[in-house]
Every structure is written in C-alpha cells, then in structure tokens.
Amino acid sequence: MCGIVGYIGFKDALSIILGGLEKLEYRGYDSAGVALMENGKVNVTRAVGKLSELKKLFVARPDSIKANIGIGHTRWATHGKPSEDNAHPHSAGRVSLIHNGIVENYVELRAKLIKEGSKFSSQTDTEIIAHLLNKYLEECKDSISALRKTVSDLKGSYAFVAFDARNPSELLIAKNASPIIIGQSEGEVFVASDIPAILSHTRQIVILHDGDLARVSLDGIYIEQDGKEIKRTSQIVTWDPITAQKGGYKHFMLKEIHDQPQSIADTIRARINRESGKIDLAEFDFSAEEVAKFNRIILIACGTSWHACLVGKFYFEKIARIPCEVDYASEFRYREPVLDKNTLVLAVSQSGETADTLSAIDSSAKFARTAAICNVLGSSITRKVEKVLFTHAGPEISVASTKAFTTQLSALYLLALDFGAKKGSLNNDDLLRHSKTLLRLPLLLEEALACEESARKIAKDFSSARDFLYLARGECYPVALEGALKLKEISYIHAEGYPAGEMKHGPIALIDENMPVVVVLQKSDVLFDKTISNLREVESRDGKIIAVTDTKGHEELHRITSNVIEVPHISELLSPILLTIPLQFLAYYIAIFNGTDVDQPRNLAKSVTVE
Ligand code: BG6
C-alpha cells in the first residue's frame, strides 16, 4: 500500500509533493522518490528509508529549479526489497512512473520486454509498466492510446501516474482496484492515492473507478472507460486531516478491519492459477523433493500471530498431511527442541521484528530448515530465514492486529495447498476446489463486514461486563483465543478463550448471570451440534450468551440467545477468517463504549523488539 502524489500548477511542485507524501507516510515508508520536470529535463531523486531521507537530498540542493509539475511516491515494498533501485519513480525512456498495486503477470511481461531489448534496473513489478508505456508512446499517435495498450497488457491491481518528458504539461493515470483521486483547484491539478495528501490544498475531488484511464493537465481532465470518454462528478470532502488518514474511519483499527477484503485479495492475488488451481508462491519455492522430506512443521510466533499458527496447524495436517506443532516463540527459544533437517521451523510475524520470534529462529537455524510468513519486506526476519512468504496487508498501524491476522491465515492456507500438491496428498481436483474456495474469500469478507451494526448493538449491551469467556471448537478455537485477546488488548477487560469441550473441566465454574460467554459456531457436520450442547450447559447456568456463526437462521441457536451475529459460510477450514470479523467489531465497540485509546492501548507496542 504505497502513497502517490502528482501535481501540475503554478506553485513549487516539490514542496506540494513532499507535503502530500508526509501525510501518506502511514501507507508505506520504506523508501521514497520524486520526479520533477525542471527546465525541460526530468529529474528523479530517490532515497531508502523514511521520507526525511529524501528531504535531506533536496536540502543539500538549494539550487534546484522550482518545478511546476511532478510526481512523488512513498513505498511499501511488495516486489523487490527496499532499495534505491526499487524505489519509485521508475523511468524508461521518456516515461517516469509511480505505482501502487501488484502486477500479477509481471514475470512474463518482463521476459517479453527483455527479449525486445528493454533493460531493467530494479526487481519491481512497477518498472514493467514504465517500459510498456514508453514502448506504446513511441508506437501510438496519442498518449491515451498508449495508456490503453499498456493497461491491456496488465493483470492485477494497479493505480499508476506517469509523465512523459515529451508531453510535460500532462499526467497520465490508470486505475484498477487500487485507489486514486484527482483534486481540482484554480490553476492547479492534484493526483493522490488518498485524500489526506491534498486536503490542505483542495476539498474538491474526483474519485476514479476501476478501469478508468485519465489524462490531466491545466486544460482539463479527460477520463475514459472502455475507450469511451466519461464524466466523473467531483465531490467536496468534509473530513478533517486526521480522519482522512483513517479513510474516514474514527480509528486505524476500524479502517484496518474494513481493509481486509482488499488485503486478502492482494495476498492471494497472483498466487493462484484460476484455471488449474495451481499455487505459485514464487519467492517461497521449496521444491517437491524438499517438501517430501519435511516430516514435521513447527510454527512459532507471538501474540495474534501465534493464534494464526494454531489455525495453520489444521491446514498443514488436514490438507498437506504433515505433522505440525505450534509453539510460543518466547518458550521455543529456550526449550532446546529436537530438530533436524527434515523439520521446517516456520515463523509467523506481522512486523518481522519481534525479538522472541527472531531469537527462536536463530536458535533453530543451525539444526532445521527455516522460513517465515511476514508482512514487512526488508524486516529483520527476512534476513534470518531461508524463504519468506509475504502477506500483503499493507502497513498495520493500530497496535491490535486485525488484517495481518486474516492475511496470515490466507497465506498459511496457500502454503498448505502448495505443500499438499507437492507432497501428492492433494490431487488436482481437490487442489482446484480448495483454490476456488479461497478465491471467493474477498467478496464474502465484504459481506461479513455488514455485521458491524449488530456487533455494535450487542457490544453496547455488554460493555459494562468485567469478565468474558470465549468458547469454540476445532479450527475456530484459536478464533476464540483471538477474540478474547482483542478485547483484552483494547478494552482492558479480562477475557479467556477456551475450547468449548474443555469448559466443563473448569471454566464452567465461572459462569453466572454476570459472565458474558461468546461462542463461535462454524457450520460443520460434527462440531456445530457439539458446540450447541455446550451452549445449553451455559444457558442452564444463566450465562449471558453471544453467538457468532456462519449458519444462518438456526432455530435452536436463536431460541437459546437473541444475541446472534451471522456471517456468510465459505468452508469449514476457512470459516476462522470470516468468523473473526464479528469478534474484531465486538472488541472494538466494547472499547469505544469504555472510552479506551483503541489505536494506542496502554502497555502495548505494535512490535516488541526487546526480550
Ligand atoms: C505485539 C502486538 O506486540 O506483538 C500484537 O501488540 C502482535 O498485535 C504481537 O500480534 C506479535 O507481533 P508480530 O509482528 O511478530 O506478529
């Protein structure tokens, strides 16, 4: 999730672009760059690290001419680690280009362009677009035709802005799945990936839609869809700058809960062949021979990532038929586990900087094969393991993890499919069935988000409770743990997650009319009815029940409690992802009603880099 800013006008483009990127740095911050048209020449300046590193380069160049047109970018790496070569803007011939998104078919496009003589200087998918546009600008009669041809070659999500050194008065824009807006003001035009970047200059914006191509200049804005010119009405933004950074949501946590359909789509995108269901994990390429040797997988992590590992165990054992253990990294690092080269130690970490997880890898790398699932390119863990599978959740700002968790689950599912296919424990039909199911997830997640209002109402009724019990079975037991953790993290209310079948061996003693019991019931031939009987045990002790399920309109359930939150059903194995959503909302709204600092809760850090 990168930040994009473009400007044409009469003011100093550099300060407007740097000012805009500053407001977008929450979107990505591992490198940055700008391209300015100065004196008929395009000047590209890029730097690794925070925006401040880029600014330093301009402070050192007080003589730079005041440019009135330019583009700028802050990067959140997805392809190619943070480096100056991989920073945007990327140039090819007459084109300078910035991009936010993931080009799915970049490997084959790159090979084709190299055959045609293109020279690449980065590992990014973005540089391909610059070469394509340059090629077509040379071939086509006008810039829009060149843009049309460029996007017709691309598959994936993209929002890019380019300028052509031979047409220095216009910017070219294309949008598909990633956000991009145009801002209008007297004698100026702004382009940005998000409202905060331009809010201090204008509140009049045009939001581009998927498939829109645009050419903006001081003479006007031309937009087309499928080759036909269209008009997009401009809107007036009323948000204050802080709310704008949160996409109009009150907190980053709520924004990140709503980001999940996109972050899952970006995480599975380009990794599933829609025809065959075959999984292609490019950078995470253990061979079939290596996978066949794995007789044990040990998943290690901390916090929410540890809960993801508990679900991952079901995926590796049920799909890939590989025995799987899960351990807290802080315990594993001192446990001196029995390891050998047929064991894969797989670390899961959103930040890639959690000290316990890093040390757990250090303590096993000499004895076992190692790998990681991580959300941050260039983070420490990526330099400690043999292979890394990146989730593409984008930056997660709120301390309580939400979208990183669900993207970790989808990455673990992908990996189990890959290993299952390589080991032969999954035949082609099953692989295609599983892959097709996973591809339905982003849309069903969108539907599941509709439970927000019912979760808010129930949260209101229960926000004064001081203890909660979360119960579930099977692959949803870790979801109960995650729901309890979310509530603890942001509302400071005591909560425990427990396997529902284990309740009668202890926690049932806690149940009375003051103890809310949140029960997760996934559609399942066996476990649903078992969990219903646990519900009856709670009901008979006057426990107050909140039920979260993917079984619509279940009569007995609605008889037992009126506090039922329903989400769509996908499959038993993937139900943890959809059933987590109501628990995220429940925790969020209970915290809101208790007035705690949701994004920066007390005593917690986004990543604990000390032991
Ligand atoms: C904690 C965070 O510090 O670390 C949690 O508050 C997170 O949200 C945990 O789950 C593990 O972090 P990571 O980055 O290793 O997944």
Side-chain angles (χ1 to χ4, degrees):
M1 211 165 89
C2 306
I4 282 179
V5 179
Y7 176 75
I8 309 176
F10 52 89
K11 295 191 188 118
D12 169 31
L14 179 61
S15 54
I16 288 187
I17 290 169
L18 290 178
L21 291 178
E22 217 167 77
K23 304 223 177 54
L24 293 181
E25 221 175 352
Y26 68 91
R27 294 177 64 88
Y29 36 69
D30 58 44
S31 53
V34 297
L36 300 166
M37 177 59 94
E38 292 173 300
N39 254 350
K41 218 169 88 11
V42 178
N43 246 313
V44 176
T45 311
R46 306 183 290 182
V48 179
K50 290 210 168 258
L51 193 62
S52 49
E53 298 305 317
L54 180 68
K55 285 185 178 168
K56 283 187 200 143
L57 299 178
F58 286 103
V59 175
R61 264 189 38 209
D63 60 339
S64 60
I65 311 291
K66 295 282 174 264
N68 298 125
I69 180 168
I71 52 178
H73 185 270
T74 50
R75 185 170 186 239
W76 175 264
T78 57
H79 291 87
K81 64 180 177 30
S83 68
E84 195 179 327
D85 286 346
N86 290 335
H88 300 203
H90 286 284
S91 307
R94 55 203 274 187
V95 168
S96 300
L97 183 140
I98 51 179
H99 165 234
N100 170 32
I102 296 173
V103 177
E104 283 178 22
N105 56 341
Y106 83 102
V107 175
E108 61 253 38
L109 287 173
R110 187 186 174 101
K112 193 158 150 275
L113 285 161
I114 289 173
K115 257 214 207 91
E116 294 167 4
S118 293
K119 297 241 173 323
F120 284 82
S121 58
S122 80
Q123 291 104 38
T124 66
D125 52 342
T126 299
E127 194 183 354
I128 278 104
I129 312 175
H131 282 275
L132 283 174
L133 185 57
N134 181 58
K135 178 174 102 171
Y136 293 130
L137 280 169
E138 295 295 341
E139 290 173 9
C140 298
K141 59 181 177 7
D142 64 68
S143 53
I144 280 290
S145 315
L147 203 50
R148 256 185 239 128
K149 291 201 84 175
T150 302
V151 294
S152 67
D153 286 349
L154 301 178
K155 282 204 193 105
S157 71
Y158 52 77
F160 64 78
V161 184
F163 79 47
D164 169 10
R166 294 208 209 131
N167 281 321
S169 60
E170 65 183 35
L171 294 176
L172 300 173
I173 308 166
K175 179 204 180 327
N176 184 43
S178 299
I180 199 128
I181 59 170
I182 299 169
Q184 296 167 292
S185 172
E186 198 55 42
E188 303 173 291
V189 182
F190 304 84
V191 183
S193 48
D194 210 340
I195 291 169
I198 60 174
L199 206 51
S200 54
H201 303 290
T202 177
R203 287 182 172 278
Q204 190 179 349
I205 65 160
V206 173
I207 297 175
L208 293 187
H209 297 201
D210 287 355
D212 282 1
L213 303 181
R215 179 185 53 215
V216 297
S217 70
L218 294 182
D219 306 333
I221 299 175
Y222 168 86
I223 305 174
E224 72 168 45
Q225 265 269 340
D226 304 326
K228 287 195 214 56
E229 180 170 10
I230 48 155
K231 290 277 172 247
R232 292 262 177 246
T233 42
S234 70
Q235 309 170 25
I236 301 300
V237 179
T238 54
W239 294 337
D240 65 77
I242 295 299
T243 310
Q245 273 196 347
K246 297 168 187 156
Y249 295 100
K250 204 150 170 287
H251 293 97
F252 278 111
M253 181 179 177
L254 191 59
K255 172 188 175 296
E256 288 159 6
I257 292 175
H258 283 274
D259 280 349
Q260 294 177 100
Q262 188 62 49
S263 47
I264 295 249
D266 288 346
T267 298
I268 62 178
R269 196 181 287 274
R271 290 166 165 171
I272 302 176
N273 176 311
R274 293 163 194 270
E275 280 74 51
S276 66
K278 197 166 170 313
I279 306 297
D280 175 5
L281 300 178
E283 70 276 15
F284 201 95
D285 53 356
F286 281 110
S287 66
E289 294 68 44
E290 290 172 303
V291 174
K293 286 203 189 101
F294 290 147
N295 56 16
R296 183 167 61 139
I297 294 176
I298 304 181
L299 294 166
I300 54 169
C302 305
T304 289
S305 299
W306 182 74
H307 294 149
C309 292
L310 291 174
V311 179
K313 174 180 168 67
F314 283 87
Y315 295 166
F316 285 115
E317 295 195 342
K318 280 195 173 174
I319 298 173
R321 306 305 291 155
I322 303 177
C324 188
E325 296 164 24
V326 178
D327 217 331
Y328 279 115
S330 53
E331 288 296 312
F332 182 82
R333 61 183 292 187
Y334 296 116
R335 190 163 61 75
E336 294 177 24
V338 181
L339 300 173
D340 60 28
K341 286 300 172 192
N342 299 330
T343 301
L344 173 65
V345 174
L346 176 58
V348 177
S349 174
Q350 186 284 127
S351 61
E353 302 296 349
T354 300
D356 285 324
T357 309
L358 296 178
S359 305
I361 285 288
D362 287 344
S363 66
S364 45
K366 288 187 280 308
F367 312 104
R369 307 293 305 269
T370 61
I373 291 178
C374 181
N375 192 47
V376 183
L377 267 77
S379 58
S380 305
I381 204 160
T382 63
R383 293 186 291 282
K384 286 182 179 294
V385 293
E386 296 171 56
K387 306 201 188 278
V388 184
L389 180 61
F390 289 103
T391 52
H392 293 311
E396 191 174 63
I397 310 289
S398 180
V399 168
S401 181
T402 51
K403 60 179 181 176
F405 176 63
T406 50
T407 53
Q408 286 165 350
L409 296 190
S410 61
L412 285 159
Y413 191 83
L414 272 175
L415 203 45
L417 295 184
D418 180 54
F419 280 14
K422 284 176 178 160
K423 255 189 103 218
S425 55
L426 203 59
N427 63 36
N428 291 346
D429 294 349
D430 288 341
L431 177 63
L432 184 57
R433 181 172 52 76
H434 278 294
S435 298
K436 282 211 156 117
T437 309
L438 184 58
L439 286 167
R440 293 175 47 226
L441 194 52
L443 269 183
L444 290 173
L445 251 167
E446 205 65 73
E447 268 181 57
L449 290 171
C451 76
E452 180 171 359
E453 188 44 29
S454 57
R456 192 188 69 76
K457 283 207 184 88
I458 293 172
K460 191 153 199 227
D461 299 343
F462 288 87
S463 53
S464 59
R466 290 303 99 191
D467 299 283
F468 279 72
L469 190 59
Y470 286 71
L471 300 175
R473 283 177 178 264
E475 53 274 277
C476 282
Y477 158 52
V479 173
L481 291 173
E482 177 57 11
L485 177 64
K486 288 277 102 37
L487 190 67
K488 283 183 266 198
E489 282 176 316
I490 61 174
S491 72
Y492 318 149
I493 294 172
H494 170 248
E496 266 188 272
Y498 243 83
E502 192 53 23
M503 176 185 65
K504 51 188 174 294
H505 303 295
I508 195 165
L510 298 170
I511 295 176
D512 60 19
E513 63 284 358
N514 304 317
M515 168 68 90
V517 180
V518 181
V519 184
V520 180
L521 304 100
Q522 72 271 40
K523 190 180 271 186
S524 148
D525 306 344
V526 182
L527 299 179
F528 188 91
D529 292 342
K530 299 286 177 208
T531 315
I532 284 275
S533 58
N534 297 125
L535 263 182
R536 292 201 193 96
E537 289 158 2
V538 175
E539 183 196 18
S540 59
R541 289 158 181 82
D542 301 329
K544 294 286 174 287
I545 297 166
I546 300 168
V548 169
T549 184
D550 58 356
T551 304
K552 291 240 161 38
H554 190 276
E555 231 175 274
E556 171 68 351
L557 190 55
H558 284 268
R559 182 199 64 70
I560 293 172
T561 175
S562 58
N563 304 310
V564 180
I565 307 174
E566 294 172 342
V567 295
H569 174 68
I570 181 166
S571 68
E572 194 165 342
L573 281 173
L574 286 172
S575 62
I577 298 181
L578 294 176
L579 288 164
T580 297
I581 306 298
L583 302 186
Q584 293 171 341
F585 280 134
L586 202 61
Y588 173 79
Y589 281 108
I590 290 176
I592 291 291
F593 292 123
N594 281 276
T596 56
D597 182 343
V598 168
D599 280 340
Q600 302 282 337
R602 70 185 185 196
N603 307 341
L604 288 174
K606 185 64 195 161
S607 171
V608 179
T609 53
V610 292
E611 192 187 338

